[in-house]
Amino acid sequence: MEGETIELLSAVEDQHGGVLLNVEGPLDPMLFPSILEAKISNLRQQGKKGVWIKLPIQHSNLVDSAVKAGFRYHHAEPDYLMLVYWIPDTPDSLPANASHRVGVGAFVINNKREVLVVQETGGKFRGTGVWKMPTGAVNEGEDICNAAIREVKEETGIETKFVEVLAFRQSHKSFFEKSDLFFVCMLQPQSFDIQSQASEIVAAQWMPVEDYAAQPFVQENELFDFITKICLSKLDGNYTGFSTVLTHTSSGKKTYLYFNNRDASPLLASKHEQA
């Protein structure tokens, strides 16, 4: 049986001392409970604590056996389900599933003090006549600055250049009970001819920023009013947000660092001099 266990249910240690079990090839669902039991027993003898099992979608029929063996759901992706099991009688220290979704709003202003605004076909603003900034969710593996540029392009056809993160807010119990981080970004337009996305956008236009700020919805909603005042303050040169610098993590991956350019510019200059 142990030979079958190793062959059909491979184990790979992660960086934190846990073990990831992978289903290798076709597996008889009648044999799976005993194979899994033998594997867990072996891992317990080795002093392992956290066990993960990755079930590809084609093996979804094995979920019931895994749950009965003590596993619980952790997260799901389009092609697999991840379950976890904490072996010892000590507090479970396995990391929780991702808790946040990240969104962006784009404050795009031209040299006429006109802001790029849209009316949406769906959502809570549908049919309200409210003009709002282009907004959207950041895709997996996408940087905030690039997400803002993409959303504006998709919704309005306008090409932009990222300038700064002006502000962000955190809310809870929103999207599928997850928390939500929303970043308001200032972008500089590189084109001006609007071509709105018919599937999601009813209309798009350049609107005088004062008219945008004067909308009853904006004035009556504390959060929107505050964000608008921040954007206007930035436009008048009285506010500095967070710019980007391309840097690297300890593992060598490229990443953007968001920082206050006005106050940190001497540090950045020093970094470039050292390079």
Side-chain angles (χ1 to χ4, degrees), residues 38-67:
K39 176 59 71 176
I40 294 299
S41 176
N42 180 261
L43 294 173
R44 182 180 286 109
Q45 292 173 11
Q46 295 178 31
K48 300 299 181 183
K49 297 179 179 179
V51 185
W52 306 72
I53 185 167
K54 183 177 181 180
L55 290 179
I57 194 168
Q58 63 267 29
H59 292 300
S60 60
N61 60 328
L62 304 180
V63 170
D64 182 61
S65 295
V67 171

Side-chain angles (χ1 to χ4, degrees), residues 216-236:
F217 176 82
V218 172
Q219 294 189 341
E220 295 166 7
N221 185 293
E222 184 179 27
L223 177 63
F224 278 75
D225 183 51
F226 210 113
I227 289 174
T228 302
K229 287 176 179 176
I230 290 173
C231 294
L232 289 171
S233 183
K234 170 63 184 179
L235 190 59
D236 293 333

Side-chain angles (χ1 to χ4, degrees), residues 90-106:
T90 58
D92 185 340
S93 62
L94 289 170
N97 184 23
S99 61
H100 284 68
R101 184 183 72 155
V102 179
V104 290

Side-chain angles (χ1 to χ4, degrees), residues 190-212:
Q190 304 295 292
S191 65
F192 303 93
D193 184 19
I194 294 173
Q195 298 177 342
S196 60
Q197 182 186 51
S199 61
E200 295 184 12
I201 303 301
V202 174
Q205 67 169 338
W206 293 103
M207 172 182 284
V209 70
E210 290 78 14
D211 292 349
Y212 171 80

Side-chain angles (χ1 to χ4, degrees), residues 8 31 34-35 38 45 87 90 97 101-102 116-117 129 134 141 151 163 210-212 219 227 233 245 261 264 272:
L8 300 176
L31 295 176
S34 57
I35 292 174
Q45 292 173 11
I87 295 177
T90 58
N97 184 23
R101 184 183 72 155
V102 179
L116 182 63
V117 292
E151 283 292 343
V163 179
E210 290 78 14
D211 292 349
Y212 171 80
Q219 294 189 341
I227 289 174
S233 183
V245 61
N261 188 34
H272 286 164

Side-chain angles (χ1 to χ4, degrees), residues 97-257:
N97 184 23
S99 61
H100 284 68
R101 184 183 72 155
V102 179
V104 290
F107 180 66
V108 186
I109 192 84
N110 64 22
N111 56 11
K112 300 177 182 178
R113 286 182 65 93
E114 295 174 330
V115 62
L116 182 63
V117 292
V118 298
Q119 289 183 342
E120 297 176 336
T121 59
K124 67 178 181 180
F125 295 108
R126 181 181 61 181
T128 63
V130 171
W131 292 96
K132 59 183 287 292
M133 300 178 192
T135 58
V138 178
N139 293 330
E140 183 178 356
E142 184 179 37
D143 291 295
I144 292 168
C145 52
N146 294 329
I149 292 171
R150 173 184 55 77
E151 283 292 343
V152 171
K153 174 67 174 178
E154 289 179 355
E155 293 191 1
T156 68
I158 297 296
E159 300 282 355
T160 59
K161 178 182 178 181
F162 177 82
V163 179
E164 289 179 350
V165 170
L166 297 179
F168 70 92
R169 71 102 178 94
Q170 182 182 30
S171 64
H172 305 288
K173 299 292 182 181
S174 53
F175 186 76
F176 288 111
E177 295 298 300
K178 299 295 184 181
S179 297
D180 184 85
L181 283 170
F182 183 78
F183 291 82
V184 181
C185 303
M186 183 176 186
L187 305 180
Q188 183 180 42
Q190 304 295 292
S191 65
F192 303 93
D193 184 19
I194 294 173
Q195 298 177 342
S196 60
Q197 182 186 51
S199 61
E200 295 184 12
I201 303 301
V202 174
Q205 67 169 338
W206 293 103
M207 172 182 284
V209 70
E210 290 78 14
D211 292 349
Y212 171 80
Q215 293 183 98
F217 176 82
V218 172
Q219 294 189 341
E220 295 166 7
N221 185 293
E222 184 179 27
L223 177 63
F224 278 75
D225 183 51
F226 210 113
I227 289 174
T228 302
K229 287 176 179 176
I230 290 173
C231 294
L232 289 171
S233 183
K234 170 63 184 179
L235 190 59
D236 293 333
N238 300 319
Y239 181 88
T240 301
F242 292 88
S243 303
T244 60
V245 61
L246 188 61
T247 183
H248 296 80
T249 66
S250 57
S251 61
K253 293 181 181 179
K254 291 183 178 180
T255 184
Y256 284 104
L257 175 69

